[in-house]
Amino acid sequence: MRNQHPDFGERVRARRRELGLSQQQLAGDVVTSSYISLLESGKRAPTLDVIIHLAEQLMMPVDELVGQGIAGSLAAEPVSAHSGAAPQPASRPRTPAPPPASPSPTAVRTPTPPSQILAVNAMQSNDYARSIELLRDLYAQVLAEGDPMRSIEVGLQLQRALQTHGDHDQRLALLEELAATASEQPSDAVRVAVLTELGSALRDTGYLSRARTPLESALALLRPARLHGTSEHVRLLGTLVSVLCELSDTGPVPALVSEMLELAESVDAPGILGRSQWVAAMAYDQLGSAEDAHTFIVRARQHLTPATLTLRDWLRFCRSTTSILLNTGHLDDAHEWLLGAEQTTSLMNVPAETAALAALRARHESALGRHESALKLYVGLTGEDSPLSGLQLARVCLAKAEELRALNRPEEASEALRGAAAICEENGAYQLAVQMWRRMDEIRSH
């Protein structure tokens, strides 16, 4: 796809200017602004994962962005990393796409619905409820029109808004619907995108054992989808690593982390490299390798900034950095990052994010030896009206038990551990549940 369709860059430039986006804003954390410049000038051909990113940012259907002349060829042409590596052979024969219909001489580009533009503006203004309302209406309209690919496009945008707002159950229900729709479409790339998000949603709702299935299915589709070695591949590996760490099934994690980092190095996008280093830091933290965790979070900080991440992702990065710094004994640095996370949270009205930050504040209090203060925070997070659920709630119950043990209240600590173990078992995290039962035995024996 190199320079076979020079009008692609012209379409990107025109639509970007129409929306008032800079090249940096369009690039996001997927590619660089210089890469966008090369695309617009016709000196670089995009890979499929980049096309999907651009279509989403420019709020255009993929076939409309690339043009009818090359829409069909996407299924047959190889897609490699941005460096222009040799094409990977498909693992199975593909049916040639039918020739495109000749466009009408009077055909014009279908304008992006105003509601979709307003939804993007609402997201950028942190008005998530308004964005969700607009996208829900548009999604219902597209479904009624019977356009499955368009419904997937709008649905993926809606699920991202739901994720940012912390509506994890609704996001999961939507993605299960999108996965069913995608399974009936000929595009492997679309299935990879939807299955990756479905695995992420299952993880966020605590269904960790179930999360592995769509993620492993997406991995099997990477080569047929011509996405092997792309940023989509890197993201998929990162999501799978996080699921395995949550399940305490860490055997495959070191090899997956190494593969993810190697691929991220080959992709011309600092944001992708930074995110992969962030995932590696969290993985090594789970593996108990504090020094490696600290090394990778420091590297990630060189690439990830508030300007390159969404507000939600910057908050998550601040929390991850704080957690790792607490685990490595860098309490002063941890406090600075905790304050940054609290400032960011104040800009978002998301109860689950506020609760997660309160749990992190409790960990900081505990590290300073203020066990009563930490316990008070944990008690407030584990009540019946807690916004936390799944393994996130289980880990808070575990932390609460440790504070009770430190305050010489072993019976209450055992009760908290029993509740945490039950939550783990409900969510299929059996290895983590076993660890909690063992901890309960240790507390009882002292």
Side-chain angles (χ1 to χ4, degrees), residues 26-301:
L26 179 56
D29 60 6
V30 174
V31 292
T32 61
S33 58
S34 60
Y35 185 88
I36 297 297
S37 179
L38 290 171
L39 286 179
E40 292 184 349
S41 64
K43 296 177 181 178
R44 179 68 69 90
T47 58
L48 182 54
D49 57 319
V50 172
I51 289 174
I52 292 172
H53 166 73
L54 294 177
E56 180 176 307
Q57 293 297 103
L58 296 172
M59 293 179 289
M60 297 174 68
V62 169
D63 59 349
E64 184 179 308
L65 175 62
V66 300
Q68 292 295 330
I70 64 172
S73 69
L74 286 174
E77 293 186 5
V79 178
S80 59
H82 304 159
S83 59
Q88 298 288 344
S91 62
R92 57 181 173 83
R94 303 184 63 83
T95 303
S102 299
S104 167
T106 59
V108 296
R109 184 178 69 79
T110 303
T112 299
S115 58
Q116 196 167 2
I117 297 175
L118 291 173
V120 172
N121 292 338
M123 281 283 288
Q124 293 175 343
S125 302
N126 303 323
D127 188 354
Y128 306 117
R130 176 61 174 160
S131 180
I132 291 169
E133 177 185 2
L134 289 165
L135 289 171
R136 274 193 177 130
D137 290 344
L138 180 58
Y139 180 65
Q141 175 186 329
V142 172
L143 284 179
E145 292 170 355
D147 186 341
M149 291 300 291
R150 178 73 173 135
S151 69
I152 292 173
E153 176 192 340
V154 175
L156 287 174
Q157 190 177 356
L158 173 56
Q159 68 86 23
R160 191 165 293 110
L162 291 168
Q163 180 186 33
T164 302
H165 196 238
D167 297 329
H168 299 303
D169 289 335
Q170 294 180 45
R171 179 190 177 216
L172 175 57
L174 172 61
L175 281 164
E176 288 176 333
E177 183 176 314
L178 293 178
T181 301
S183 68
E184 300 172 352
Q185 305 309 308
S187 172
D188 289 327
V190 168
R191 284 197 288 274
V192 168
V194 173
L195 289 171
T196 300
E197 294 295 350
L198 178 57
S200 169
L202 287 164
R203 176 198 62 193
D204 292 345
T205 48
Y207 298 110
L208 295 172
S209 295
R210 288 177 55 196
R212 297 181 67 162
T213 301
L215 294 175
E216 290 170 351
S217 296
L219 277 175
L221 288 170
L222 282 172
R223 286 193 184 278
R226 312 296 176 87
L227 292 175
H228 190 275
T230 65
S231 58
E232 194 70 32
H233 189 175
V234 176
R235 180 171 181 268
L236 177 54
L237 287 174
T239 306
L240 179 57
V241 164
S242 68
V243 168
L244 293 175
C245 286
E246 289 282 359
L247 285 168
S248 296
D249 185 7
T250 54
V253 167
L256 289 172
V257 167
S258 296
E259 180 183 2
M260 175 188 67
L261 291 170
E262 182 179 352
L263 289 173
E265 289 279 0
S266 70
V267 176
D268 182 20
I272 295 297
L273 179 58
R275 284 176 178 270
S276 68
Q277 291 167 337
W278 174 12
V279 172
M282 293 190 293
Y284 283 118
D285 189 42
Q286 289 280 345
L287 292 169
S289 182
E291 184 176 341
D292 287 333
H294 186 258
T295 296
F296 277 105
I297 205 66
V298 169
R299 291 179 184 175
R301 281 154 54 180

